Amino acid sequence: MRTTPWQLFRFGFVYFNSQSTVFLVPALLASSSYQAWIGVLGGYLLNLILLGAMIYIGSRYPEQPWIQFGKKLMGKWLHSMFVIILLAWCVYYTSYDIQSFVLFFGSNYLRDTPPWFIQIAIAPIIMYTAMRGVKNIIYMADGLFVLILTSTTLMLLLFSQQANFHMLSALQHHLLPVSGLFENSLTSLSWFAEWMVFLFIVPDLKLDKNASRSLFAIASVLCLLVITGWLMVLMNFGPQLARQFQYPFLEIVRSVEPDSILSKVAPLVIGIWTTSMFIHSAFLIYVASRCATYFTKEKGQRLSIVLLTAAAVSIAFYYSNHLSLYQKHYYSFEVVIIWIIVECIPVYYTAVYLVGLLRHGKSLRLSRR
């Protein structure tokens, strides 16, 4: 299968939309009031650097996956260390997905259901989707793209009906200190910059100019959606009340009249978000399994998917019994820094490639063929 740039855009939109537009907005509301949009723009600009590094290093070796050519650049042991780090990050991130899913449904719709039951119920879905491979994950995203785009647009339009647009004048008067804006920028960057996992679509995808445009379009649309969602929440509730909500979009839905259109489409939107979350988790587990099979010479990928999913569920189960620890880790700035260090992996490989290019000139370019 050769993934087209338009397919890449649809997949990237679904992959990022499942997390950033739902969970980044509450984090921004909790850390700032009227100036979060500056932090989002700062994170977007920093994100373009990481995206450019991923495109550059991926395009240098169009016929090889990162798992293979990375060893030539970094050496066996250092590359193996990065593979292990990425593997652990994917599993840990999947545990966040699972626990976020459990908290959302457990606190809103399944209040008397034990967390372990929900975790066990969704684990086979993640396993099965990951086992189907990247082709089927991308095809699933194709089917969801139109539904997510339509429902997101509809929700934002309906949110704007109750919004107080006079608050827009306050955006230029309530300034955060530089340290606060910088922290918001790094927080936004940690949500925007998961580009490392996109190298696992290569060589099914050629990172040419068309693919690059699609990737940059994903980053731009994502930034616009986060800012728009943040503004809608701010103009509906104000900064003080909005920061009290864990799921502000759901609170907007609850605040409307029961007979309105918005209250009728809410279950559909929640169902679509749930499916996109499964795609996000399944792709992370797929990437983790590729990292695991690097050490087994491409053997036992199905078994590794089962074991890695079980590991993610186990971490989520631990967090479900230590909710205060989960909240501390989920919103801590230390975790943001760890996320960015992992997401900067393409930058490390690009830097090593450029240093080698300066030292050896054309010889490095010829050696990758």
Side-chain angles (χ1 to χ4, degrees):
M1 183 194 80
R2 289 291 183 183
T3 304
T4 66
W6 178 230
Q7 277 184 308
L8 176 64
F9 177 84
R10 295 195 296 267
F11 169 71
F13 179 84
V14 173
Y15 178 85
F16 281 106
N17 184 75
S18 65
Q19 298 297 312
S20 58
T21 55
V22 176
F23 298 112
L24 176 56
V25 169
L28 293 172
L29 291 167
S31 61
S32 61
S33 54
Y34 292 99
Q35 296 301 311
W37 64 276
I38 300 179
V40 175
L41 288 177
Y44 165 73
L45 294 176
L46 293 172
N47 173 45
L48 296 183
I49 299 175
L50 275 64
L51 173 56
M54 187 278 292
I55 293 173
Y56 182 81
I57 196 63
S59 63
R60 299 306 93 184
Y61 300 86
E63 302 299 331
Q64 298 180 39
W66 170 77
I67 286 288
Q68 293 180 12
F69 73 74
K71 183 167 61 175
K72 301 176 184 177
L73 288 176
M74 289 291 193
K76 179 180 179 180
W77 297 108
L78 188 56
H79 178 62
S80 297
M81 183 189 72
F82 280 116
V83 172
I84 293 173
I85 290 173
L86 183 61
L87 187 156
W89 178 81
C90 289
V91 173
Y92 191 59
Y93 201 170
T94 304
S95 74
Y96 272 4
D97 283 357
I98 296 172
Q99 180 60 16
S100 298
F101 181 89
V102 170
L103 281 179
F104 179 81
F105 279 90
S107 60
N108 293 287
Y109 301 104
L110 303 170
R111 296 189 178 184
D112 296 326
T113 305
W116 60 265
F117 181 82
I118 304 176
Q119 292 161 358
I120 293 176
I122 65 178
I125 302 174
I126 297 174
M127 289 181 192
Y128 177 77
T129 307
M131 286 181 182
R132 300 295 295 175
V134 66
K135 297 179 184 179
N136 287 279
I137 293 174
I138 291 176
Y139 288 149
M140 289 177 64
D142 278 348
L144 279 176
F145 172 75
V146 175
L147 292 175
I148 292 177
L149 185 62
T150 303
S151 62
T152 300
T153 303
L154 178 62
M155 291 286 282
L156 292 176
L157 289 174
L158 293 174
F159 286 173
S160 65
Q161 294 180 359
Q162 302 181 98
N164 180 10
F165 286 92
H166 295 291
M167 287 188 180
L168 292 175
S169 60
L171 297 182
Q172 58 183 337
H173 299 299
H174 294 75
L175 298 178
L176 281 175
V178 175
S179 60
L181 295 175
F182 181 69
E183 185 173 330
N184 275 348
S185 296
L186 292 182
T187 300
S188 301
L189 174 64
S190 67
W191 288 90
F192 291 164
E194 299 173 38
W195 301 111
M196 179 60 203
V197 296
F198 281 70
L199 283 175
F200 287 80
I201 301 179
V202 180
D204 293 320
L205 167 72
K206 297 291 186 181
L207 292 177
D208 53 15
K209 291 183 179 179
N210 291 329
S212 299
R213 292 193 191 101
S214 295
L215 291 169
F216 280 104
I218 293 169
S220 301
V221 171
L222 182 67
C223 175
L224 179 63
L225 282 178
V226 170
I227 292 178
T228 304
W230 165 76
L231 277 175
M232 289 298 105
V233 175
L234 190 68
M235 291 188 294
N236 272 271
F237 295 118
Q240 300 302 323
L241 181 59
R243 68 178 58 185
Q244 306 299 321
F245 297 133
Q246 187 174 9
Y247 307 107
F249 292 157
L250 183 61
E251 297 300 331
I252 295 179
V253 174
R254 288 173 173 171
S255 67
V256 302
E257 297 179 1
D259 295 332
S260 67
I261 298 176
L262 184 58
S263 63
K264 304 299 182 183
V265 302
L268 174 62
V269 173
I270 292 172
I272 294 173
W273 168 76
T274 301
T275 308
S276 64
M277 189 278 292
F278 287 143
I279 289 178
H280 185 269
S281 298
F283 188 64
L284 287 174
I285 291 296
Y286 168 80
V287 170
S289 69
R290 290 284 304 277
C291 292
T293 54
Y294 168 76
F295 300 101
T296 61
K297 298 181 179 179
E298 304 299 325
K299 297 179 181 178
Q301 185 171 7
R302 286 179 174 270
L303 177 60
S304 67
I305 288 175
V306 174
L307 295 177
L308 294 169
T309 306
V313 171
S314 299
I315 298 172
F317 178 76
Y318 176 82
Y319 275 139
S320 66
N321 290 285
H322 301 81
L323 289 178
S324 60
L325 184 63
Y326 168 75
Q327 295 291 343
K328 178 182 177 180
H329 289 175
Y330 195 84
Y331 293 107
S332 71
F333 191 65
E334 290 76 10
V335 172
V336 168
I337 297 302
I338 294 173
W339 241 240
I340 293 174
I341 290 173
V342 176
E343 291 168 343
C344 281
I345 287 178
V347 177
Y348 311 146
Y349 282 76
T350 299
V352 171
Y353 179 87
L354 292 176
V355 170
L357 198 62
L358 290 174
R359 287 183 176 179
H360 303 96
K362 295 182 179 181
S363 61
L364 180 63
R365 192 178 291 270
L366 292 173
S367 64
R368 64 183 174 86
R369 294 182 177 177

